[in-house]
Amino acid sequence: MPELPEVEVTRRCIEPFLVGRVIEAVHTTPASYFFLTPPGQLKKSLPGRKVGAVSRHGKYLRALLDNGQTLVLHLGMTGQLFSSGATSVRLLSAAARAALAPGEQAAFKPDKHTHLRLCFADGGPDVLFRDVRKFGKVLLLGVNGRDERLERLGIDALEASGIELFSATRKKRSPIKSLLLDQSVIAGIGNIYADEALFLAGVKPTRPCRRVKSAECHAIVAAAQRVMLRSIETGGSSISDYVAPDGTDGGYQDERQVYAREGEACPKCGHKIVRVVVGQRSSHYCPACQK
DNA sequence: ACCGCACCCTGAGCGC
DNA sequence: TGCGCTCAGGGTGCGG
């Protein structure tokens, strides 16, 4: 599931396939809530546009266009952004995977889940946006276009300090885990990195915000940044459907301490990792190390 | 005002 | 073998 590190890895990988290229044609699936900007409008507005910088805020990607418009992408739960040259069995359906000989890699062919496909005037590789569960988003912002969901975002998690988190805890009663997932406070932290950060900081996910001390907030944010930077280095977490744009798997899932390790031994003390539900999300922690 | 929860979607995995 | 149920979860929006 793409969180900040996976989105950043995606940004770095897809940037060379976007920057400086002129869009020639746009292919999409039919209109759905996936398209905040209707497909018809994308097909009308995007051709002829040259792509400039590709940036990221939280889990959102933004591609600046030469006319001042911005193409905004959110990978949602299962979004995959990659170039047409990528090969990976992870990009294929289970049925297509089963048909492959062991070890064989096949080039990806656009399927019913490939909601956006950008073709370029230079005739080089296409850029594809595939999303099985359609929780992702595509939005074309006008020159001075504003979007509430983007303006609501808090400071990017890599730029944050404990101060933003601590000041938010003073106003809330909810569990600290829920606050970490609140994108309007700190943007980019998702379920995996929230659990990992709370483990490293020794704070139980269910602890009410008001009972989290300032020093603990600093520790949580520092830990979140540490695990996310490390995850970016290793190519992100390839749990669920995430795959980097070059078709490779990330490596961070192998470094998880607690996430999806219910019943396993805590790496610090050997206690069994426990799973509870906090704010409709499964949360994993060590009952001995996290108070 | 704040918080919990349903909902959007599809495929994997499991039990019968 | 095959069907049907459950679960996963980011973000939004509603209702208590």
Side-chain angles (χ1 to χ4, degrees):
Chain A
M1 49 217 82
E3 302 180 24
L4 186 151
E6 292 77 31
V7 178
E8 177 61 21
V9 170
T10 297
R11 189 195 69 75
R12 293 180 188 182
C13 292
I14 208 68
E15 194 172 38
F17 292 97
L18 286 170
V19 174
R21 301 180 76 196
V22 177
I23 298 168
E24 187 175 67
V26 176
H27 302 278
T28 73
T29 49
S32 67
Y33 69 89
F34 179 86
F35 293 101
L36 297 175
T37 300
Q41 200 181 321
L42 295 174
K43 289 172 185 171
K44 206 168 63 182
S45 303
L46 290 179
R49 299 276 60 82
K50 187 176 184 176
V51 183
V54 180
S55 60
R56 179 194 59 75
H57 186 160
K59 302 173 194 171
Y60 285 86
L61 285 174
R62 298 171 301 197
L64 185 62
L65 306 177
D66 60 352
N67 63 351
Q69 293 186 313
T70 304
L71 183 63
V72 180
L73 305 175
H74 191 291
L75 299 180
M77 277 288 305
T78 53
Q80 302 167 319
L81 189 65
F82 52 98
S83 79
S84 56
T87 58
S88 169
V89 289
R90 296 183 66 85
L91 289 167
L92 305 174
S93 69
R97 255 200 309 274
L100 287 180
E104 185 188 351
Q105 299 272 300
F108 175 77
K109 291 191 190 70
D111 60 1
K112 63 175 176 173
H113 303 303
T114 307
H115 303 296
L116 182 68
R117 177 173 159 211
L118 302 176
C119 304
F120 296 88
D122 58 18
D126 300 342
V127 168
L128 307 121
F129 185 2
R130 180 172 187 260
D131 184 1
V132 170
R133 289 186 205 170
K134 295 214 296 199
F135 284 6
K137 295 277 176 285
V138 176
L139 167 70
L140 183 60
L141 271 186
V143 174
N144 288 310
R146 299 181 159 269
D147 185 77
E148 246 187 59
R149 74 196 73 215
L150 289 177
E151 296 187 5
R152 265 202 304 271
L153 289 180
I155 185 167
D156 186 83
L158 292 183
E159 324 252 289
S161 72
I163 294 164
E164 288 88 2
L165 185 61
F166 182 66
S167 81
T169 60
R170 299 305 92 182
K171 305 169 206 154
K172 301 271 184 177
R173 227 170 267 275
S174 51
I176 184 68
K177 167 85 182 273
S178 301
L179 195 69
L180 279 179
L181 296 179
D182 185 342
Q183 303 297 300
S184 72
V185 177
I186 294 179
I189 301 177
N191 211 28
I192 301 174
Y193 299 101
D195 279 6
E196 297 296 313
L198 288 167
F199 172 74
L200 293 175
V203 177
K204 192 194 280 195
T206 54
R207 173 127 48 108
C209 284
R210 290 178 190 222
R211 300 182 50 196
V212 182
K213 299 189 184 80
S214 172
E216 291 174 317
C217 287
H218 281 81
I220 292 167
V221 172
Q225 291 171 339
R226 205 159 67 240
V227 293
M228 289 192 295
L229 288 171
R230 173 63 188 152
S231 180
I232 291 170
E233 275 180 39
T234 58
S237 295
S238 290
I239 295 174
S240 188
D241 301 84
Y242 174 74
V243 59
D246 60 2
T248 58
D249 285 358
Y252 193 75
Q253 66 277 9
D254 301 328
E255 300 192 16
R256 287 172 296 126
Q257 309 277 295
V258 290
Y259 184 81
R261 293 203 187 279
E262 180 186 13
E264 293 180 34
C266 167
K268 284 188 200 165
C269 76
H271 246 82
K272 278 195 174 179
I273 300 298
V274 164
R275 175 183 173 274
V276 294
V277 174
V278 180
Q280 318 310 116
R281 298 285 175 266
S282 63
S283 303
H284 313 78
Y285 72 97
C286 170
C289 294
Q290 295 172 257
K291 301 294 177 194

